[in-house]
Amino acid sequence: MTEELQLFLEDSAEQLTYMENALLSMQESGINEEDVGALFRSMHTIKGTAGMFGFDDVVGFAHIAENLLSEVRSQKVELTPDMIQLFLLCKDHTEHLIDAAVDQTPIDDFTRETNQELLEQLLNFMPGNKSVIKNEDGTENIVRTVSEKKLWHLSIEPHSDFFNSGMDILNILNFLEVMGTITKKKSYTDPIPKLENYNPVEAYMGIELQIESESSHVEIEDVFEFILSDIALMIIDTQDKEGLVDWVESIPHKESKVKFLIENGFFTKGDFITVDPVNETISLEELKPIEETVLEEPQISNVEDPKISTKKEIQKSFSLRVDSSKIDQLINQISEMVIANAKIAQRADMIDDNDLSEATTVMSEMLESVRSSVMNIRMVQVGDTFAKFKRIVNDTAKKLGKDIEFTINGGETELDKMVVEKISDPIMHMLRNSIDHGIEMPHERVAAGKPANGKVTLSAYPDAGTIVIKIVDDGKGLDRDRILAKSIANGIVSPNHNLSDKEIFNLIFAAGLSTAEQVSDISGRGVGMDVVKRNIEELRGTVEIDSSKGAGSTFTIRLPLTLAIIDGFLVQSGDTKYIIPLEMIQECIELSAAYKKQMKGNDFINLRDSILPLLDIRDYFKESENKSSRENVVVLRYGDYRMGLQVDELYGEFQTVIKPLGEVFGNVTGVSGGTVLGSGEIALIFDIPKLMEYQIRNN
Amino acid sequence: MQKLEYEKITIYEVESLHKELLEWSHNTQELELDMTNIQKVDFAGVQLLLSAHKSVKLNMHNVSNNVRKSFEFAGADSWLNGDTND
């Protein structure tokens, strides 16, 4: 895909998001001018940019939708809840049209039908009478019979390879006379070269005409149906000055065209004066200099408080779009600098030169500062992504006939952009699950003494170096016995297990398990939860579920704050150096002889009157014997779990870049990456959640 | 005056007619074309004739009604010069 198409796709996606947000916002809090304006502008922008690429299906549909929005905006038509639902459907349909256009796949029958249906419904809301005309071949045309005629301006510019189409424009222009009265027509001959430079099989000439007609835009366009892809066609209501300016802005030879139009009496000079420059020209200007690369975030200055960004500010505030690979490269480069600096620092310590040591400290601090700033670029508020879940919950609940109150907390919590994007699907899946299998039907809830409307809450908050995302529902909870039975039947669990309730609940993440009575098309196909868990683990995160029969379920996802650099604690066991994520460390204690005696060969110690299970790294990784005389325990906390990691030497805090281990190490459980120390040695980074899992399972 | 022997000027004839027009317009300011035989002209034909008109002053004679209509459809009828013999 070309860069321009990519940009178009992104821009359209953005516009569609604004549309949806405006619609949902009005659904909740009522009609208001600002949201209606945003709706209109989004549709208008999509129509304009699609027009630039010649995506005529998109243009055709968007134009009708935009017409209705224009009537709403000028308060000739009232925006009813039904219309809001209709526009939500239109937004989805526009998305499909855009995807098909960008992929260059023809519109399939279903989309064509939807197109007609939606157009019909849109036209139904328009002021004026409508009727349906049946054609000879059985197809139908929707005709808006309005008492007043419109003067349309048509600009027809064949593509240079037009003659390959085998069609003759003149026939079509002939037919056009049936649609109304042609008041003016002139061939646009400027592009035609003289004989010596003329290529007889290339099309140069355009045609500009104006026709007075009762027909709709769609009907006029239909006339050109068979050559639409071979020409650049623009049909504008001569009253639509904004549309005129937009069109003219978009053509490459605009000066000569404008001159032509004025000289031949199609328009006057006054018609081309830009209306509302802030809204119209900005969206097109942004697309023009495609070579410029820009930041993805809505604002980069730390003067503005990111929490207060309103929709208006997002559209007007200075923002840049940047290719995310450039940021990745920046992070990489800074990471390498951190490693290189570690080497310098180490050498400085050895030489024992105070000035040098001080200089390296300053350097380290500055590197840390730059690293922080760069990581910050990638941080986005989760609320932006979470907002789209509202729509999904809305639609899913409606579809199932359930009454659901959906709340989002902690939207301002920040997370790395890539993590947010990748966590989106798993969250959606879990939300659908809560709605589908968790929340009961309203009458069931009332019968159980609960309020008819179910509550689903999505929250995000930071906790000890991780970000926690919780999905809570007050539905009927998981059926422990059913899950157990199914697991035993599938051989996932042996009949004489001794799993706790919580462990049984978490079996839903095992592959091939689905206890839904009917596999609904929404969730519960048995390939869902295990994929969800895997996706989260790929982000070095964890997911668990807890449930209470009749009361509800809670999904808890934990994600690391960053993916690239780790604040760690360096330890040694046997010959190998390891790094423990600093956030998970509660304390370090020396494993004195007293403790050892207490253990009596078991693998736990009594720490201040509570039991701390221990994991001996030397055992786990089969290390060689202790090179130092000391033994230590690093006390870790991850979520609700605590564990002591038994190691030899402790070295201290150490910040470093995570380097992925090669595929050879892919199956080593307990290690999630490696890093290069200043000395050139490799240190392995513990995967603490996995180690904890192992510890729990084997004790 | 060059009498065109073609029955029509469409995408199929324009390549050869283009060569002829180039030849005839060499070293001349004005070109007379006798269009008696031409029954029909399509978009490619209209465009070619307009290109010729940009290079030299083109006068078309004995233009049939059909051809005249074609020029009209294309919005190019103001370029039609010369007599029309109906």
Side-chain angles (χ1 to χ4, degrees):
Chain A
M1 199 190 291
T2 65
E3 213 177 320
E4 295 86 54
L5 274 182
Q6 186 59 38
L7 226 61
F8 168 71
L9 214 50
E10 284 173 17
D11 201 65
S12 312
E14 212 173 53
Q15 294 304 325
L16 289 170
T17 306
Y18 292 149
M19 261 189 85
E20 196 175 62
N21 289 344
L23 287 165
L24 288 176
S25 155
M26 285 193 284
Q27 204 172 46
E28 273 174 57
S29 11
I31 314 296
N32 68 81
E33 218 177 284
E34 191 190 315
D35 283 329
V36 170
L39 257 184
F40 173 82
R41 275 193 305 275
S42 294
M43 214 56 192
H44 183 74
T45 306
I46 289 177
K47 188 193 76 169
T49 53
M52 274 167 62
F53 286 92
F55 293 154
D56 299 315
D57 285 317
V58 180
V59 173
F61 183 77
H63 188 80
I64 303 290
E66 185 202 16
N67 277 350
L68 181 54
L69 286 168
S70 175
E71 300 293 303
V72 172
R73 195 166 72 146
S74 44
Q75 288 171 351
K76 294 203 191 117
V77 173
E78 196 194 312
L79 187 63
T80 64
D82 277 343
M83 271 171 84
I84 293 185
Q85 278 300 122
L86 174 61
F87 276 117
L88 281 171
L89 291 175
C90 287
K91 174 251 172 194
D92 287 339
H93 180 68
T94 309
E95 213 167 337
H96 294 150
L97 290 177
I98 290 175
D99 285 338
V102 169
D103 286 336
Q104 293 178 329
T105 51
I107 310 283
D108 63 39
D109 289 334
F110 175 71
T111 311
R112 260 249 171 269
E113 268 177 45
T114 312
N115 204 60
Q116 281 302 98
E117 276 173 33
L118 290 177
L119 283 178
E120 247 182 72
Q121 291 187 43
L122 284 170
L123 286 173
N124 270 338
F125 284 107
M126 288 290 265
N129 305 320
K130 303 117 245 146
S131 56
V132 176
I133 290 184
K134 275 197 163 50
N135 295 327
E136 284 163 12
D137 61 348
T139 57
E140 289 179 334
N141 276 354
I142 308 142
V143 185
R144 247 187 66 228
T145 53
V146 187
S147 46
E148 19 122 12
K149 290 183 182 171
K150 273 195 181 160
L151 185 64
W152 297 93
H153 181 90
L154 270 67
S155 167
I156 304 154
E157 286 184 1
H159 297 160
S160 54
D161 61 353
F162 173 81
F163 294 128
N164 293 344
S165 73
M167 309 284 298
D168 188 11
I169 284 191
L170 298 184
N171 291 334
I172 293 173
L173 291 170
N174 184 5
F175 181 74
L176 203 54
E177 315 223 339
V178 171
M179 305 291 286
T181 317
I182 296 187
T183 58
K184 216 175 209 48
K185 181 163 58 178
K186 201 72 192 255
S187 48
Y188 181 60
T189 56
D190 286 4
I192 304 180
K194 294 192 183 173
L195 283 173
E196 53 263 24
N197 296 322
Y198 183 84
N199 178 354
V201 294
E202 202 177 302
Y204 304 94
M205 191 164 87
I207 296 172
E208 304 288 325
L209 66 96
Q210 285 184 353
I211 179 171
E212 207 176 61
S213 170
E214 284 181 10
S215 304
S216 70
H217 182 288
V218 176
E219 281 157 27
I220 296 180
E221 200 180 67
D222 272 346
V223 172
F224 296 88
E225 187 188 333
F226 294 112
I227 57 169
L228 263 186
S229 53
D230 301 298
I231 60 174
L233 175 66
M234 201 47 77
I235 305 174
I236 300 177
D237 182 349
T238 48
Q239 303 289 355
D240 179 8
K241 298 295 183 255
E242 282 181 21
L244 174 64
V245 171
D246 283 348
W247 164 52
V248 152
E249 282 295 319
S250 70
I251 49 188
H253 43 279
K254 83 172 174 207
E255 282 88 19
S256 77
K257 184 60 85 88
V258 170
K259 185 155 169 265
F260 175 85
L261 291 171
I262 296 175
E263 275 176 359
N264 288 287
F266 287 104
F267 294 104
T268 67
K269 231 191 243 175
D271 293 332
F272 291 102
I273 296 185
T274 324
V275 175
D276 199 359
V278 174
N279 283 322
E280 295 333 338
T281 52
I282 279 188
S283 48
L284 289 172
E285 289 305 326
E286 270 177 0
L287 277 177
K288 277 211 206 109
I290 301 171
E291 306 83 49
E292 273 182 39
T293 49
V294 218
L295 260 186
E296 304 172 289
E297 313 302 348
Q299 57 235 32
I300 50 168
S301 79
N302 44 19
V303 174
E304 292 177 57
D305 184 348
K307 292 177 197 158
I308 325 182
S309 57
T310 61
K311 263 185 297 214
K312 252 198 188 139
E313 274 180 36
I314 290 177
Q315 278 181 308
K316 290 188 189 170
S317 72
F318 179 70
S319 69
L320 304 169
R321 260 208 198 127
V322 171
D323 206 337
S324 73
S325 64
K326 293 192 177 185
I327 306 220
D328 288 341
Q329 193 182 49
L330 197 54
I331 292 180
N332 249 358
Q333 289 168 331
I334 294 187
S335 308
E336 298 293 334
M337 279 172 77
V338 168
I339 293 180
N341 187 57
K343 208 163 182 162
I344 298 176
Q346 197 188 46
R347 190 91 181 117
D349 281 340
M350 276 164 61
I351 296 180
D352 202 18
D353 177 338
N354 277 345
D355 287 337
L356 188 58
S357 290
E358 205 175 297
T360 51
T361 308
V362 171
M363 187 59 156
S364 302
E365 280 170 12
M366 296 201 314
L367 273 177
E368 169 59 32
S369 177
V370 173
R371 177 185 83 81
S372 222
S373 302
V374 174
M375 293 312 292
N376 225 46
I377 297 177
R378 292 179 58 99
M379 300 295 258
V380 287
Q381 295 189 354
V382 293
D384 294 336
T385 314
F386 283 6
K388 72 170 185 250
F389 295 139
K390 279 192 195 165
R391 172 77 192 278
I392 292 162
V393 170
N394 188 15
D395 289 350
T396 311
K398 253 199 185 56
K399 205 169 176 178
L400 297 171
K402 298 190 181 173
D403 186 2
I404 301 212
E405 189 184 308
F406 181 57
T407 330
I408 297 180
N409 291 328
E412 68 281 357
T413 310
E414 287 190 338
L415 204 50
D416 183 287
K417 181 170 169 88
M418 190 186 62
V419 173
V420 169
E421 280 168 10
K422 291 199 175 168
I423 203 74
S424 180
D425 274 351
I427 292 182
M428 200 135 78
H429 201 98
M430 289 185 272
L431 277 174
R432 285 204 173 116
N433 206 61
S434 287
I435 300 170
D436 200 8
H437 301 306
I439 306 285
E440 316 91 320
M441 296 295 288
H443 62 270
E444 288 172 327
R445 288 181 65 89
V446 171
K450 293 178 175 176
N453 75 335
K455 289 192 186 24
V456 174
T457 314
L458 176 61
S459 328
Y461 57 88
D463 177 38
T466 65
I467 295 287
V468 177
I469 299 176
K470 271 197 159 94
I471 299 168
V472 185
D473 70 71
D474 65 351
K476 63 178 191 266
L478 295 177
D479 187 336
R480 173 198 177 278
D481 296 325
R482 232 197 7 224
I483 297 175
L484 191 56
K486 194 82 187 268
S487 304
I488 294 177
N490 281 8
I492 299 172
V493 159
S494 82
N496 51 336
H497 65 94
N498 58 344
L499 298 170
S500 69
D501 279 359
K502 189 158 179 181
E503 287 168 323
I504 293 177
F505 291 139
N506 283 291
L507 286 172
I508 64 168
F509 292 112
L513 194 79
S514 173
T515 58
E517 285 299 355
Q518 266 168 325
V519 170
S520 69
D521 68 23
I522 294 177
S523 57
R525 222 183 287 268
V527 294
M529 281 301 161
D530 63 321
V531 174
V532 165
K533 180 164 185 196
R534 210 168 339 124
N535 285 342
I536 295 178
E537 285 178 346
E538 271 167 20
L539 297 169
R540 283 176 40 234
T542 58
V543 62
E544 304 189 312
I545 185 166
D546 202 356
S547 183
S548 171
K549 192 153 188 173
S553 309
T554 303
F555 280 103
T556 308
I557 305 172
R558 273 179 193 273
L559 296 166
L561 263 177
T562 80
L563 296 178
I565 293 196
I566 189 171
D567 285 317
F569 192 84
L570 188 62
V571 302
Q572 181 154 348
S573 179
D575 277 325
T576 318
K577 289 199 167 58
Y578 293 97
I579 301 231
I580 305 172
L582 200 60
E583 318 89 50
M584 299 180 191
I585 301 181
Q586 277 197 317
E587 59 185 299
C588 301
I589 51 179
E590 193 176 336
L591 196 61
S592 62
Y595 271 125
K596 279 208 162 132
K597 228 175 13 173
Q598 200 195 66
M599 276 165 74
K600 293 194 251 240
N602 289 328
D603 45 13
F604 56 82
I605 60 171
N606 183 340
L607 185 65
R608 293 187 293 271
D609 289 330
S610 69
I611 303 229
L612 181 73
L614 292 184
L615 181 65
D616 190 343
I617 292 300
R618 189 157 338 116
D619 270 347
Y620 186 80
F621 284 118
K622 312 268 183 299
E623 293 287 350
S624 60
E625 35 173 77
N626 195 343
K627 295 284 148 86
S628 83
S629 53
R630 286 191 279 257
E631 271 189 273
N632 290 286
V633 170
V634 181
V635 182
L636 304 171
R637 176 178 89 84
Y638 185 74
D640 294 330
Y641 300 105
R642 287 203 329 157
M643 182 173 84
L645 219 57
Q646 207 174 323
V647 296
D648 302 337
E649 190 81 42
L650 303 177
Y651 289 110
E653 282 181 42
F654 187 76
Q655 185 195 80
T656 186
V657 177
I658 301 172
K659 294 262 173 213
L661 298 171
E663 275 178 28
V664 180
F665 297 95
N667 288 326
V668 176
T669 324
V671 169
S672 67
T675 188
V676 181
L677 302 177
S679 58
E681 263 178 282
I682 307 266
L684 296 175
I685 301 172
F686 283 133
D687 182 346
I688 299 296
K690 275 266 147 34
L691 291 176
M692 283 191 172
E693 221 175 278
Y694 171 85
Q695 212 279 338
I696 294 170
R697 252 187 285 127
N698 295 349
N699 291 287
Chain B
M1 174 87 85
Q2 297 285 359
K3 183 160 187 174
L4 294 180
E5 300 302 327
Y6 303 91
E7 267 179 27
K8 47 190 166 76
I9 309 177
T10 68
I11 187 69
Y12 302 105
E13 290 80 33
V14 287
E15 273 182 292
S16 99
L17 180 55
H18 174 240
K19 285 197 182 69
E20 289 175 351
L21 286 169
L22 262 172
E23 228 181 85
W24 298 333
S25 52
H26 209 56
N27 293 330
T28 187
Q29 307 285 37
E30 212 169 321
L31 185 59
E32 314 289 325
L33 282 183
D34 184 353
M35 310 276 283
T36 316
N37 291 327
I38 313 286
Q39 314 274 22
K40 159 191 159 93
V41 176
D42 79 351
F43 189 69
V46 172
Q47 192 180 265
L48 172 59
L49 290 169
L50 289 174
S51 167
H53 192 65
K54 279 195 177 184
S55 315
V56 292
K57 185 164 183 292
L58 190 68
N59 295 323
M60 292 192 287
H61 303 273
N62 302 323
V63 177
S64 76
N65 221 17
N66 217 12
V67 172
R68 174 169 287 274
K69 272 261 154 210
S70 295
F71 270 84
E72 264 179 47
F73 291 143
D77 39 321
S78 63
W79 277 280
L80 271 182
N81 280 328
D83 328 332
T84 52
N85 261 349
D86 295 322

